[in-house]
């Protein structure tokens, strides 16, 4: 495993980071608790020291399982990344920005973006309890909230740093203008954004800014929620309540299938899977600090970690980039 310094902080994070969205179950067709906890342990055993979660993932379940899994681990050797700003329990009392309706056990639950100072303080206390810890290594706003001034949100994060409840502050899904506004109040550690072979839009204006400002980029959905593994072109069937049924529709699936087939030829020479090749490629892209990879069982977790067991030469990167260009 490779460990990388995050932005201007002292945090050293694993290049492959455990993404805990799927183990929450919500929007992913459910989960198996035993397998989820095993995936966390397997990740740590294979060098993945950084875990990224959020209260919204499973409406608290993802954080709770991480807290349970870490009871047998040395907390000082694990970096916990979580978020705030998505409210589903009605505690926002109609304030904030409506985001979408999330399905949970057949019910439609309205989710709001809400990043007021009071809500941030409340959410952090809840996250600390679920995670069974007294500090969070990196706290990130989950999505921008247009109803709360960025200055107010960032001042709350600064207060939490001073209190020792968080070690660093980051954002998620922020555009360059929002980052510039936030930087007036606090020095951001990171911005967590979508990035993959099929979505490299951040390279145009966001990456140059983050490099200039020494802000880390945390890449999420590098495998486009499993699409780039290739298994959904064979015999895998998604459950009806899996959000990927709609998500995959944005892509030209025939072109993606061709890309996966081309990548598999190179992956074979590395004794690697296509998924591992995709992850390794992502870790080598300009401006990317760490890459999130989800795992729902120990086998997937080990496979993700082993993506760092090989390197890619300049000619191999050219081959991959040429194959990607055909999907445009």
């Amino acid at each position: 495993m490779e460990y990388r310094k995050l932005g201007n902080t002292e945090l050293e994070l694993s290049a492959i980071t455990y993404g805990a969205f799927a183990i929450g179950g919500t929007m992913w067709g459910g989960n198996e608790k035993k397998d989820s906890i095993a995936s966390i342990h397997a990740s740590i055993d294979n060098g993945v020291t950084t875990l990224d979660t959020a209260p919204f993932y499973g409406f608290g379940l993802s954080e709770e399982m991480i807290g349970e899994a870490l009871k047998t681990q040395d907390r000082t050797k694990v970096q916990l990344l979580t978020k705030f700003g998505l409210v589903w329990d009605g505690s926002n009392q109609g304030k904030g920005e409506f985001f979408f309706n999330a399905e949970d056990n057949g019910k439609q639950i309205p989710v709001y973006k809400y990043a007021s100072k009071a809500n941030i303080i409340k959410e952090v206390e809840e996250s600390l309890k679920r995670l069974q810890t007294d500090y969070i290594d990196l706290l990130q706003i989950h999505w921008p909230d247009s109803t709360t001034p960025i200055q107010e949100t960032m001042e709350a994060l600064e207060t939490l740093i001073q209190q020792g409840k968080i070690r660093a502050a980051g954002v998620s899904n922020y555009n360059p203008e929002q980052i510039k506004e936030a930087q007036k109040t606090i020095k951001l550690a990171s911005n967590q954004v979508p990035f993959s072979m099929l979505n490299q839009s951040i390279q145009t204006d966001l990456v140059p800014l983050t490099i200039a400002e020494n802000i880390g980029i945390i890449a999420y959905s590098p495998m486009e929620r499993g699409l780039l593994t290739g298994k959904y072109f064979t015999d895998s069937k998604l459950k009806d309540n899996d959000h990927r049924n709609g998500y995959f529709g944005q892509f030209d699936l025939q072109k993606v299938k061709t890309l996966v087939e081309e990548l598999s030829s190179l992956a074979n020479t590395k004794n690697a899977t296509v998924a591992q090749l995709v992850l390794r490629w992502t870790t080598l892209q300009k401006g990317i600090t760490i890459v999130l990879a989800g795992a729902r069982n120990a086998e997937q977790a080990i496979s993700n970690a082993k993506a760092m067991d090989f390197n890619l030469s300049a000619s191999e990167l050219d081959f991959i980039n040429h194959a990607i260009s055909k999907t445009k």
Side-chain angles (χ1 to χ4, degrees):
M1 184 54 62
E2 193 177 298
Y3 302 92
R4 299 175 175 180
K5 189 169 176 290
L6 184 68
N8 64 322
T9 75
E10 297 304 314
L11 295 176
E12 294 279 344
L13 310 182
S14 53
I16 299 296
T17 287
Y18 182 92
F21 187 8
I23 66 168
T26 303
M27 298 173 61
W28 290 84
N31 79 307
E32 292 291 339
K33 181 178 178 180
K34 182 178 179 182
D35 289 344
S36 298
I37 291 178
S39 71
I40 296 168
H41 288 157
S43 294
I44 294 171
D45 290 344
N46 285 273
V48 174
T49 62
T50 311
L51 313 177
D52 178 88
T53 184
F56 172 69
Y57 300 161
F59 303 115
L61 180 60
S62 176
E63 286 188 329
E64 288 173 358
M65 285 193 291
I66 287 175
E68 183 172 337
L70 293 186
K71 286 193 292 186
T72 59
Q73 305 292 321
D74 183 344
R75 171 68 180 90
T76 64
K77 295 182 179 179
V78 176
Q79 303 84 48
L80 288 178
L81 285 47
T82 194
K83 308 176 187 77
F84 67 88
L86 290 188
V87 179
W88 69 87
D89 61 359
S91 61
N92 57 314
Q93 299 180 323
K95 298 177 182 178
E97 176 185 351
F98 176 74
F99 192 13
F100 72 109
N101 283 312
E103 182 182 338
D104 184 49
N105 293 321
K107 297 180 181 179
Q108 295 294 313
I109 299 179
V111 178
Y112 287 81
K113 301 174 185 175
Y114 188 45
S116 72
K117 180 177 181 179
N119 183 63
I120 296 168
I121 301 302
K122 168 184 174 291
E123 284 202 53
V124 165
E125 292 304 321
E126 293 170 344
S127 288
L128 289 172
K129 184 177 181 180
R130 286 190 289 256
L131 292 165
Q132 301 185 45
T133 186
D134 57 2
Y135 70 95
I136 293 162
D137 294 278
L138 176 69
L139 183 67
Q140 310 153 89
I141 182 172
H142 207 149
W143 284 88
D145 165 26
S146 64
T147 68
T148 303
I150 288 176
Q151 180 180 346
E152 177 182 339
T153 300
M154 298 303 136
E155 286 176 349
L157 291 172
E158 187 66 63
T159 297
L160 288 166
I161 290 175
Q162 293 170 358
Q163 292 175 343
K165 292 184 178 180
I166 68 174
R167 294 179 64 191
V171 295
S172 299
N173 303 298
Y174 261 37
N175 63 35
E177 290 69 32
Q178 291 163 332
I179 286 179
K180 291 174 184 176
E181 182 63 28
Q183 289 277 91
K184 295 177 182 178
T185 305
I186 195 171
K187 179 62 179 173
L188 294 174
S190 59
N191 187 15
Q192 184 174 146
V193 288
F195 179 80
S196 75
M197 290 180 171
L198 305 178
N199 177 14
Q200 300 182 49
S201 60
I202 64 169
Q203 294 289 4
T204 303
D205 53 2
L206 185 61
V207 166
L209 174 64
T210 56
I211 290 175
E213 295 288 327
N214 193 19
I215 297 172
I217 288 285
I218 300 175
Y220 74 79
S221 293
M223 291 188 283
E224 291 297 356
R225 312 193 186 187
L227 183 62
L228 287 172
T229 66
K231 66 181 180 180
Y232 297 105
F233 296 115
T234 54
D235 57 356
S236 289
K237 180 175 173 56
L238 299 173
K239 294 182 179 179
D240 291 341
N241 60 344
D242 193 314
H243 76 287
R244 290 173 293 178
N245 285 300
Y247 183 84
F248 290 165
Q250 67 183 290
F251 302 107
D252 185 326
L253 295 180
Q254 185 54 53
K255 288 185 177 179
V256 176
K257 185 173 185 288
T258 300
L259 170 62
V260 170
E261 290 169 350
E262 290 196 42
L263 294 179
S264 65
S265 64
L266 176 57
N268 288 337
T269 69
K270 299 286 185 180
N271 292 316
T273 65
V274 171
Q276 289 170 331
L277 188 70
V278 169
L279 287 175
R280 191 67 178 110
W281 174 89
T282 310
T283 67
L284 296 170
Q285 299 311 295
K286 184 178 180 181
I288 303 299
T289 308
I290 61 173
V291 179
L292 301 188
R296 303 182 72 162
N297 55 54
E299 181 182 6
Q300 291 175 354
I302 294 168
S303 177
N304 290 341
K306 289 187 178 299
M308 297 301 293
D309 286 358
F310 61 92
N311 214 329
L312 294 169
S313 67
S315 62
E316 289 167 338
L317 288 169
D318 286 342
F319 171 84
I320 293 171
N321 291 332
H322 179 65
I324 295 170
S325 70
K326 300 175 187 176
T327 65
K328 303 296 188 269

